[in-house]
Amino acid sequence: MPDIHWGYGFPIGGVAATRVSDGVVSPGGVGFDINCGTRLLRTDLTEAEVRPKIDKLLDELYTSIPSGLGSSGKIIVSQKELKEVMTRGSQWALEKGFGQADDIEATEESGCLKGADPDMVSAHARKRGIPQLGTLGSGNHFLEVEAVDEIYNREAAAAMGVYEVGQVLALIHTGSRGFGHQVCTDYLKVLAEAVQKYGINLPDRQLACAPVDSAEGRNYLAAMACAANFAWANRQFIAHWTRESFSRVFGKSSQEMGMRQVYDVAHNIAKIEEHRIGGRKETLCVHRKGATRAFPPGHPDVPAMYRKIGQPVIIPGDMGRYSYVAVGTETAMEQTFGSTCHGAGRMMSRGAAKRSLKGADIARQLAEKGITVKTCSLSGLAEEASAAYKDVADVVEVTHRAGISCNVFKSRPIGVIKG
Amino acid sequence: MPVPKDFETLEHTADTGIIAYGKDLKQAFANAARGLFSLIAELESVNEVLERDIEVTAADRDSLLVAWLNELIYIFDTENILFKRFDITRLSQHHLVARGYGERVVRARHKLKTGVKAATYHMLAVEQEYGWRLQVLFDI
C-alpha cells in the first residue's frame, strides 16, 4: 500500500494472503495491536454549532474516555464477562447498554469475529486486558471531532449520512490494547517453536508462522479472534461515551443529533476469505497489517445499506491535516485481495520528531489552524505531529487512481484527544 | 576497552529500540531493562520504594532477552510498577532470576513518556565484543 513504512518483520501497510490448505499464518503479519481500527460517527451538527463549544466538548470527552499511558478503564469486567467480550465483541457491549442496535450492522464482521476461543488466550493476556477495556490508549491512538471538508461522491456520501461541507463527525482510532499485545507476544513464542517443528526457514524471527491448517495456526487464529472482539467491544464503549459527551454539551439526545455510526473497520487483522485466483475460487488467510478491507459493491460481507456503493473505508491522516473516507472496489478484489491503505504512514522516527518539534509548539500551530488538542503527553504530541507523517492526500490519490478504493469525502479535525 | 555507556536508544521509522551494554551478560540484561523503562518514563522521578522478584524462562538466550523485557512490560501494564534498578541474580541460556527496584506509578509525580507494546525479535542482537552488546527493537 502507498502508506507503507518500515516495521519489524512485516512492513506496516502490507497485505499477505496465504492459501488455507497449504499456506501459513503469522502473528507478525497482523501486528501487536490486533484489530487496531477506526470507527466513524456522523452527526446532524454543523461546524458553526460545535466550534463555540469545542473546548467544553473536548473536556467532556477527555473526562469520560480514559486515555494515555497507565490509564485504566471505567468498565470492570469479571473473568466470566471477559469471556463474553472475547467471544461476542461489540454485541456483548451493546447488550450491556453501550451503543445502539444499528451500530452492529455498521461494523466489520458485525463486531464479532467467529472462531474465537477464550481457552487459547493466556492468563497473562486476560490480566493485562481487564483493566484496559474501555480505554483509548496512547501513541497514535486518538479521538477526533471533525468537519466534512470536501465531498467527491455525493451518492456514496449520502448513503453514509453525509450531505454537506461543515457537517460534524467523530472519529475513534484504537485497538485491543494490552490484551492484543499480549496475545501477539504469547503466540510469537509458540510459533517460534512451530517454525522448527515444521522445518520453516526464516530470515527474521519476527516472521514466525505455522501452517494455517495446524494446531498452532488454528490456536493463534482463535486467540486473535478473541483480541479482535475485545477491540470491537472497546470501540463500542468509546463510541457510547462519545455520544454521551456530545449529549451533555449540546443538551440533546444522540438520536436528536443523528449520531449514527457510519462504519467501523479494522486495519490490523487476519481474515479467512474467499478470493478468485487465476479464475479459481480459493480460501485464503488474508493478513492486513496497516491495510484496510475494501470490499466492492454487491459483496455479501458488505452491509445491506452499503451494498450499492461498496464497503466504507476510513483512512485517518495525521492530526494536523485531514482524513478520508472511501469505498471498496472490484479492482481491490482483483489486485489487492480486497484491501486498500490505512492512513498516512510514518516518515520520521519518534525520536527525530521529538528532537525537531516541541509539543507546546505543535499545540500552538494546531490552534492557529483552528484545531484544539487535549493530551496528557506533550512529548507524545510531538511524536505524532504532521511533519512525522506522509501527507495522507498523496496516499489516497494513489489508492484512488489505482482504483483499489474510491474517495468519497474528506474531513478535517477541529478538536483532537490524543492518548 | 571500557564499556562506553549503559544503554542508548535506537531510531527506527515507526518504533524505537535500545542498545544496552555490560561488562558481563547479567549487567547487559539489567541495562536493557533500564533502557526499556527510560522509554516509558523519566527515571529520575522514580524512587526505589518497592522490590519485586521476576523469573523468566525461554528456549534460547535471544528469546530469553525478549521474554525478560516482555515480562517487565506485562508487570508495568498490570501492576503499574516503574523499575529503575535491577539485580540479576541468576542467568543461564534458558533461565533468568532477577529482583527489580522501583515504585508504582503516581500520575501526578511521574513523567510518563511512551507506551511500549512489546519487545520484538526484529533486528535482535546479543553479541560479545569486549563486553556485551544487546540490541532490541520495541513496538511502541
Side-chain angles (χ1 to χ4, degrees), chain B:
Chain B
M1 192 179 157
V3 172
K5 58 194 104 175
D6 292 349
F7 60 83
E8 56 194 327
T9 53
L10 178 71
E11 299 283 329
H12 187 274
T13 316
D15 299 295
T16 304
I18 47 139
I19 300 172
Y21 304 92
K23 64 178 185 332
D24 56 31
L25 201 54
K26 280 182 179 170
Q27 192 185 39
F29 266 62
N31 283 338
R34 285 179 54 224
L36 162 65
F37 280 95
S38 78
L39 299 176
I40 298 174
E42 296 282 1
L43 290 182
E44 292 74 23
S45 64
V46 179
N47 299 315
E48 292 182 26
V49 297
L50 63 78
E51 48 186 67
R52 192 188 184 291
D53 293 328
I54 304 146
E55 185 170 358
V56 285
T57 53
D60 55 60
R61 197 174 55 200
D62 286 16
S63 311
L64 189 64
L65 174 59
V66 171
W68 158 237
L69 297 170
N70 277 331
E71 184 66 12
L72 294 171
I73 291 167
Y74 168 74
I75 293 171
F76 172 72
D77 253 16
T78 51
E79 298 173 34
N80 293 313
I81 301 175
L82 288 166
F83 291 106
K84 77 179 299 184
R85 188 167 66 85
F86 300 89
D87 281 334
I88 313 264
T89 48
R90 286 175 61 190
L91 180 61
S92 69
Q93 288 277 337
H94 310 286
H95 187 211
L96 177 150
V97 180
R99 179 165 288 178
Y101 303 86
E103 67 177 321
R104 281 184 217 284
V105 174
V106 182
R107 280 187 111 184
R109 182 160 53 80
H110 290 132
K111 221 179 140 195
L112 295 178
K113 290 156 77 180
T114 307
V116 179
K117 294 175 190 162
T120 75
Y121 291 90
H122 185 58
M123 292 168 52
L124 182 69
V126 178
E127 296 163 351
Q128 191 173 20
E129 188 187 340
Y130 307 111
W132 285 87
R133 179 186 176 277
L134 312 179
Q135 176 176 288
V136 188
L137 191 71
F138 297 103
D139 184 343
I140 62 176

Side-chain angles (χ1 to χ4, degrees), chain A residues 3-27:
Chain A
D3 50 342
I4 196 163
H5 61 85
W6 197 21
Y8 39 84
F10 283 79
I12 320 284
V15 180
T18 53
R19 248 196 321 257
V20 165
S21 56
D22 59 351
V24 294
V25 59
S26 173

Side-chain angles (χ1 to χ4, degrees), chain A residues 295-315:
Chain A
F295 280 178
H299 193 287
D301 290 345
V302 176
M305 72 266 205
Y306 297 133
R307 206 153 290 157
K308 236 180 104 185
I309 61 164
Q311 175 220 305
V313 178
I314 304 158
I315 307 154

Side-chain angles (χ1 to χ4, degrees), chain A residues 42-47 49 161 163-164 166-168 252 254-260:
Chain A
R42 53 85 67 205
T43 76
D44 289 330
L45 300 168
T46 63
E47 188 176 359
E49 291 170 280
Y163 306 104
E164 56 191 338
Q167 195 175 334
V168 168
K252 292 180 188 171
S254 72
Q255 284 79 11
E256 285 170 317
M257 290 179 289
M259 288 192 81
R260 277 199 317 279

Side-chain angles (χ1 to χ4, degrees), chain A residues 30-344:
Chain A
V30 174
F32 283 95
D33 199 355
I34 296 165
N35 191 4
C36 186
T38 50
R39 177 174 291 218
L40 183 67
L41 306 176
R42 53 85 67 205
T43 76
D44 289 330
L45 300 168
T46 63
E47 188 176 359
E49 291 170 280
V50 172
R51 269 213 184 272
K53 292 185 171 173
I54 192 70
D55 288 328
K56 197 172 171 217
L57 179 59
L58 289 185
D59 283 344
E60 277 290 340
L61 290 165
Y62 192 74
T63 312
S64 36
I65 299 162
S67 66
L69 186 53
S71 57
S72 48
K74 301 193 291 190
I75 304 279
I76 309 293
V77 290
S78 64
Q79 286 284 354
K80 200 174 150 216
E81 288 171 314
L82 184 64
K83 269 194 178 176
E84 297 279 319
V85 172
M86 290 190 260
T87 50
R88 300 179 54 225
S90 292
Q91 299 180 8
W92 181 81
L94 177 69
E95 262 176 40
K96 289 284 156 187
F98 296 88
Q100 28 188 92
D102 54 7
D103 295 346
I104 301 298
E105 201 192 353
T107 304
E108 180 177 353
E109 297 295 331
S110 301
C112 173
L113 188 57
K114 289 180 194 70
D117 181 354
D119 290 342
M120 296 303 132
V121 174
S122 72
H124 258 44
R126 291 160 194 249
K127 195 172 167 195
R128 202 169 160 188
I130 283 177
Q132 295 191 18
L133 186 60
T135 64
L136 191 61
S138 61
N140 63 353
H141 295 151
F142 63 75
L143 192 162
E144 273 183 9
V145 178
E146 305 183 327
V148 174
D149 195 48
E150 223 180 320
I151 300 174
Y152 310 108
N153 179 338
R154 292 216 156 258
E155 187 203 346
M160 299 180 199
V162 170
Y163 306 104
E164 56 191 338
V165 168
Q167 195 175 334
V168 168
L169 312 169
L171 175 61
I172 296 158
H173 176 217
T174 187
S176 53
R177 316 284 295 105
F179 184 88
H181 309 163
Q182 192 66 39
V183 166
C184 183
T185 295
D186 293 339
Y187 276 90
L188 280 170
K189 215 169 164 179
V190 172
L191 297 203
E193 287 162 28
V195 162
Q196 292 178 354
K197 178 174 159 190
Y198 297 105
I200 301 167
N201 257 323
L202 294 175
D204 182 336
R205 291 177 79 164
Q206 196 65 31
L207 300 171
C209 56
V212 184
D213 191 17
S214 67
E216 294 87 346
R218 281 191 295 271
N219 293 352
Y220 167 68
L221 284 171
M224 185 213 71
C226 291
N229 293 337
F230 184 103
W232 272 313
N234 196 33
R235 290 197 289 273
Q236 187 75 25
F237 291 128
I238 292 173
H240 177 73
W241 295 323
T242 302
R243 285 180 171 130
E244 282 187 343
S245 300
F246 270 78
S247 289
R248 278 196 291 273
V249 172
F250 296 100
K252 292 180 188 171
S253 71
S254 72
Q255 284 79 11
E256 285 170 317
M257 290 179 289
M259 288 192 81
R260 277 199 317 279
Q261 184 167 314
V262 173
Y263 203 58
D264 175 311
V265 67
H267 51 234
N268 277 8
I269 202 162
K271 304 279 287 283
I272 307 297
E273 295 171 357
E274 303 265 311
H275 288 269
R276 290 198 85 80
I277 311 291
R280 273 217 340 254
K281 214 181 198 182
E282 298 264 18
T283 307
L284 306 178
C285 177
V286 182
H287 303 69
R288 297 190 179 95
K289 183 184 185 184
T292 315
R293 193 181 78 171
F295 280 178
H299 193 287
D301 290 345
V302 176
M305 72 266 205
Y306 297 133
R307 206 153 290 157
K308 236 180 104 185
I309 61 164
Q311 175 220 305
V313 178
I314 304 158
I315 307 154
D318 64 78
M319 62 188 168
R321 287 193 273 226
Y322 22 67
S323 296
Y324 287 82
V325 170
V327 280
T329 64
E330 206 52 62
T331 307
M333 288 314 274
E334 288 158 15
Q335 298 188 354
T336 52
F337 303 106
S339 317
T340 189
C341 64
H342 88 302

